[in-house]
Amino acid sequence: MTKLVSIVGRSNVGKSTLFNRLIGYKKSIVNSKSGVTRDRNYGFCNWNGIDFCLIDTGGYTNKFNNIFDKKICEQFFFALEESDLILFLVDPSNKILEIDYEISKILQKLKKTIYLVINKIDLLKKKENISEFFKLGFSKKYCISSINGAGTGELLDSIVEIFKNTETDLFVKKKNQFIPKLAIVGRPNVGKSTLINTLLKKNQNIVSNISGTTRDSLEVFYKKFGIECILVDTAGIRKKNKIKENIEFYSVMRAIKSIKNSDVCLLLIDSISGMESQDLKIFKIIENNNKGIILLINKCDLIKNKFLEKIFKKKIKKIIAPFKDVPIFFTSSYKKKNLIKSLKTAIKIAFKLKLKIKTSLLNKIMLPIINKYPHPLRNGKPITIKYCSQLPTYNPQFIFFSNYPNLIKKSYKRFIEKKLREKFNFTGIPIKILFRLK
């Protein structure tokens, strides 16, 4: 079983900075503004050959000034419940606050290993402030700087010493095993986090009707109904001119990065507003990055007339043309409609992306079709295609050798792509057709 280590504390003590430092890259958004981290954010750390999962949490508070404060605290307690070891991060640049005492009392009631981690020692002028935090009553104490990494090596040594003799089962790509990564993407407030919470049957991610609730891209392992994958909840991608603050800008950038790092994207579209220009832009981002794609018309329980579904699907196919060979599901987190079906389809697409067709089989199937429906004459010249092959790329790319590759029409290229899709079932997968001189 994977060992989980959570980083907890009040706001602005450097939890996300430490999280990014330990996993080795900037995954959590870091900002001087409090309350930036809301959901639990998961990442993996390897130290001296030992792997463990790290959890970044939002800052604990006992004052609920807005809708998110209470939800952030819920995520804080969820993290405590699932963790094996807890890093209690404090900031010695000020004296101990009442909230620090409150957090320490909560942690001391747990029957778990707690490390008191005193952060920002590089900024500390009065060293006596450190000893004051010893009053919190934790025996294992570490002084670090999450900014420059001072003391983090000793902290990691102590963590992995506990986990050294424990088997781990990480939800990452294991040796000789492929676990698909599925990104849940779309505009703000289309139901991305709700969908993941429904699948997991728990409040994994914070949900509200306020757009921009999800800020980080959040990964979670899913293993049910014969499905094994990584689900990635992303921030809503809105138009550039509607992005109002730096935090939202970084959230959108992380969402786009999640698309690039995924195998298949499940693009959620609001069933009431329909497919808007921003949805099409997100669709094109996915297509241009050669990722598998499924369209989920979400909140379909709000569609009262089922005849409208056929009209909806037909309209969407017209909007996304020419890449129309995409699975479309009408989903509802409320009624749990088509959620598992769409995931199973996404898994099939992920494995299909890795498929390499033998050159002999490709030519055996495609050349008779090309000979039966040859390219029309161009400038009085007959255009022939004698050979084809799949390139050794991640996404399906095919090269066709012709006597006049520069004269081949786009319509004929679309014809070849259509036949490839029909014969080899590339539904939901962008494919590239290239022509070269024989």
Side-chain angles (χ1 to χ4, degrees), residues 60-77:
Y60 176 83
T61 181
N62 54 10
K63 296 178 181 178
F64 303 145
N65 297 317
N66 56 56
I67 188 174
F68 294 115
D69 288 339
K70 186 175 181 179
K71 291 181 179 289
I72 290 170
C73 282
E74 287 176 1
Q75 295 293 311
F76 166 83
F77 284 106

Side-chain angles (χ1 to χ4, degrees), residues 312-328:
F312 210 128
K313 187 177 284 191
K314 190 175 180 180
K315 188 177 179 181
I316 286 176
K317 295 260 185 180
K318 189 176 180 181
I319 293 171
I320 64 176
F323 180 28
K324 299 188 291 183
D325 187 19
V326 175
I328 299 175

Side-chain angles (χ1 to χ4, degrees), residues 50-193:
I50 305 295
D51 294 302
F52 61 91
C53 181
L54 201 62
I55 309 172
D56 184 20
T57 65
Y60 176 83
T61 181
N62 54 10
K63 296 178 181 178
F64 303 145
N65 297 317
N66 56 56
I67 188 174
F68 294 115
D69 288 339
K70 186 175 181 179
K71 291 181 179 289
I72 290 170
C73 282
E74 287 176 1
Q75 295 293 311
F76 166 83
F77 284 106
F78 286 146
L80 296 186
E81 184 180 341
E82 63 183 345
S83 296
D84 300 289
L85 188 151
I86 297 163
L87 307 181
F88 176 25
L89 210 63
V90 294
D91 179 1
S93 55
N94 296 308
K95 292 185 177 181
I96 303 178
L97 303 180
E98 283 300 319
I99 195 70
D100 293 317
Y101 281 116
E102 185 171 337
I103 295 170
S104 68
K105 288 177 182 177
I106 293 169
L107 297 180
Q108 284 165 353
K109 292 177 182 178
L110 304 173
K111 295 180 179 179
K112 298 189 178 184
T113 304
I114 315 289
Y115 288 178
L116 177 67
V117 183
I118 302 169
N119 192 26
K120 303 182 183 181
I121 56 168
D122 54 313
L123 303 176
L124 199 61
K125 294 179 180 179
K126 295 181 180 180
K127 297 297 181 183
E128 59 267 22
N129 284 14
I130 292 177
S131 58
E132 185 182 355
F133 280 83
F134 295 172
K135 297 175 184 176
L136 293 172
F138 297 98
S139 58
K140 295 187 177 181
K141 301 174 282 288
Y142 298 88
C143 296
I144 68 157
S145 168
S146 53
I147 286 287
N148 62 33
T152 54
E154 184 184 354
L155 174 63
L156 285 166
D157 284 341
S158 182
I159 292 171
V160 299
E161 187 64 33
I162 293 176
F163 299 155
K164 190 174 287 185
N165 299 319
T166 308
E167 293 183 1
T168 58
D169 181 25
L170 301 178
F171 56 89
V172 291
K173 292 180 182 178
K174 303 172 189 175
K175 192 175 182 181
N176 300 322
Q177 183 181 359
F178 171 63
I179 299 180
K181 184 176 282 191
L182 313 180
I184 316 297
V185 300
R187 291 184 284 116
N189 264 24
V190 290
K192 299 181 293 295
S193 297

Side-chain angles (χ1 to χ4, degrees), residues 206-244:
I206 293 176
V207 174
S208 83
N209 57 6
I210 299 173
S211 64
T213 297
T214 301
R215 285 171 166 173
D216 289 297
S217 290
L218 308 163
E219 298 180 3
V220 63
F221 181 56
Y222 184 82
K223 189 175 182 180
K224 291 181 181 179
F225 307 106
I227 299 169
E228 190 172 3
C229 64
I230 299 171
L231 296 175
V232 187
D233 187 14
T234 64
I237 303 173
R238 66 168 82 228
K239 294 178 181 178
K240 286 183 180 179
N241 60 358
K242 291 191 176 181
I243 296 175
K244 297 178 181 178

Side-chain angles (χ1 to χ4, degrees), residues 27-55:
K27 186 178 183 187
S28 282
I29 296 174
V30 176
N31 194 280
S32 57
K33 183 180 178 182
S34 63
V36 171
T37 302
R38 290 172 175 172
D39 296 284
R40 309 194 302 285
N41 201 352
Y42 294 74
F44 284 93
C45 184
N46 179 289
W47 187 255
N48 293 340
I50 305 295
D51 294 302
F52 61 91
C53 181
L54 201 62
I55 309 172

